[in-house]
Amino acid sequence: EDTAVQDFLEILEEHRKNCERQGKYVEAEIAKNRLDELKLHEENRRREAMRSRQIAERLGVEEAHMLEFQQFNLIWDKKMNEYETHAEELVEAMKERHASELRDYQRKLMGKQIRPKFSKDLLNLRKIQETLAKQKDYAEAHKIKLKSDALEAWELEKWHGERQQDLLQKEGKFKFVKQQELVALQKRIQSGREEQKKQRHQDLERLLQRYQNVKAELEAQQNLERVRMEKMVLSGGFTSTLNNSNKAKSAKTMKRTSSAPSTT
């Protein structure tokens, strides 16, 4: 299209010059006005073409950035979801292991055969009871037996209570140790989670900075292009471009003519 417009302007310019040489000033004026109109139209067309192209370039950068941003989120969402899944598996595995270890520990505690240790008073009463029985003093032996049985029952009940309390304390200590182990795992998981968030934020900052750099560079290039366009228009560079094109074409024509073989 640029070539066609330039060709037409060249023809119209040549026509204006011919009219000027032949003294056809009215036609020359018409040709001049038409040339000015066409040049203005061409300048506006080039501006609009440049504007449309620059808009397309900016949209291209925006689209590329959005695609990169979406891909960034997809990758990081997947990575963080995988981390959370693995963390849940670790916690559940530890809880199951702790439950199994607690059952084993409880069986071990309950399996220990511990005989109660009776008091000296009870042991003395039993000896007296046996001595009286050997002496055939059954009535007195019966009285001592009743007293010994009552004391033994009280001591057994006390011993069972104390043993139960001891088992509960040992089980509580065991559970506390396991709970601390679980808390330590959860802290490590949280630390890893925070590190992931920090890394994601840093990567996002770098991505956004790259986008801002590309955007700023493109804007600078486009501003420079617009400035050059306006300078060319204001300085008559558009006309010079057309004239240079005419000269280049004339030079090519003369070169072909001079290099053509003579027919004489």
Side-chain angles (χ1 to χ4, degrees), residues 28 33 50 62 65 76 79 96-97 121 156 170 186 192 197 210 219 227:
N33 293 337
M50 180 182 67
E62 292 286 345
H65 171 66
W76 266 104
K79 183 183 295 187
E96 291 176 4
R97 177 169 59 82
D121 292 340
L156 280 174
K170 289 179 178 179
Q186 291 171 333
K197 290 180 180 179
R210 286 198 304 271
E219 288 178 353
V227 169

Side-chain angles (χ1 to χ4, degrees), residues 125-146:
L125 285 174
R126 290 299 185 191
K127 287 181 179 179
I128 295 171
Q129 173 189 328
E130 291 175 0
T131 300
L132 291 172
K134 288 178 180 179
Q135 294 174 355
K136 297 182 177 56
D137 190 351
Y138 298 120
E140 193 64 28
H142 179 66
K143 292 179 182 179
I144 297 298
K145 182 178 184 302
L146 292 177

Side-chain angles (χ1 to χ4, degrees), residues 213-225:
N213 292 342
V214 171
K215 185 179 178 182
E217 183 178 355
L218 178 62
E219 288 178 353
Q221 291 175 352
Q222 290 185 345
N223 287 335
L224 182 60
E225 186 179 16

Side-chain angles (χ1 to χ4, degrees), residues 10-248:
E10 291 166 9
I11 293 171
L12 192 57
E13 176 66 15
E14 188 63 30
H15 174 66
R16 183 193 64 78
K17 291 179 179 179
N18 290 334
C19 291
E20 181 182 325
R21 285 193 296 270
Q22 296 172 11
K24 298 178 181 179
Y25 299 124
V26 174
E27 293 183 12
E29 180 67 21
I30 293 173
K32 174 179 172 298
N33 293 337
R34 182 59 178 155
L35 272 170
D36 292 340
E37 290 175 3
L38 288 175
K39 288 176 181 177
L40 179 60
H41 174 77
E42 180 63 11
E43 290 170 2
N44 291 334
R45 187 191 68 79
R46 290 192 178 189
R47 283 196 187 94
E48 183 60 26
M50 180 182 67
R51 189 182 73 84
S52 298
R53 177 173 50 75
Q54 290 185 348
I55 289 175
E57 290 173 350
R58 291 195 296 272
L59 289 176
V61 170
E62 292 286 345
E63 183 178 358
H65 171 66
M66 288 306 299
L67 289 174
E68 187 179 11
F69 182 68
Q70 290 172 2
Q71 187 68 17
F72 172 87
N73 284 329
L74 285 174
I75 292 173
W76 266 104
D77 287 346
K78 180 182 178 182
K79 183 183 295 187
M80 297 183 81
N81 288 335
E82 289 175 350
Y83 180 85
E84 292 300 327
T85 300
H86 182 59
E88 290 176 5
E89 292 173 351
L90 289 176
V91 170
E92 287 303 314
M94 179 172 284
K95 287 181 178 179
E96 291 176 4
R97 177 169 59 82
H98 286 176
S100 176
E101 291 175 350
L102 177 60
R103 289 191 295 269
D104 292 341
Y105 184 70
Q106 289 171 334
R107 282 195 294 267
K108 181 180 178 181
L109 289 177
M110 297 302 296
K112 288 183 177 180
Q113 298 296 328
I114 302 177
R115 298 180 62 183
K117 185 177 182 181
F118 295 110
S119 66
K120 290 182 179 180
D121 292 340
L122 176 59
L123 295 175
N124 288 332
L125 285 174
R126 290 299 185 191
K127 287 181 179 179
I128 295 171
Q129 173 189 328
E130 291 175 0
T131 300
L132 291 172
K134 288 178 180 179
Q135 294 174 355
K136 297 182 177 56
D137 190 351
Y138 298 120
E140 193 64 28
H142 179 66
K143 292 179 182 179
I144 297 298
K145 182 178 184 302
L146 292 177
K147 185 176 180 180
S148 298
D149 289 346
L151 181 59
E152 182 176 329
W154 180 83
E155 288 188 2
L156 280 174
E157 182 179 357
K158 180 184 177 183
W159 178 81
H160 283 299
E162 290 176 347
R163 184 166 187 267
Q164 186 65 25
Q165 185 65 30
D166 180 62
L167 292 176
L168 290 175
Q169 288 180 352
K170 289 179 178 179
E171 184 177 314
K173 290 180 179 180
F174 183 88
K175 289 180 178 179
F176 177 78
V177 171
K178 299 305 175 181
Q179 182 62 28
Q180 292 300 107
E181 185 180 349
L182 180 61
V183 169
L185 173 62
Q186 291 171 333
K187 285 182 178 180
R188 291 195 300 272
I189 290 173
Q190 181 61 26
S191 177
R193 184 180 292 120
E194 294 299 326
E195 185 62 29
Q196 267 200 339
K197 290 180 180 179
K198 180 181 177 181
Q199 187 62 50
R200 179 171 185 166
H201 178 72
Q202 291 175 347
D203 289 352
L204 178 59
E205 288 294 319
R206 283 193 288 268
L207 185 149
L208 294 176
Q209 188 59 54
R210 286 198 304 271
Y211 165 66
Q212 292 298 331
N213 292 342
V214 171
K215 185 179 178 182
E217 183 178 355
L218 178 62
E219 288 178 353
Q221 291 175 352
Q222 290 185 345
N223 287 335
L224 182 60
E225 186 179 16
R226 286 192 293 270
V227 169
R228 287 174 176 172
M229 169 71 78
E230 293 305 319
K231 283 184 177 181
M232 184 180 72
V233 171
L234 292 175
S235 64
F238 178 70
T239 304
S240 300
T241 301
L242 294 177
N243 291 336
N244 291 336
S245 177
N246 292 340
K247 291 178 181 179

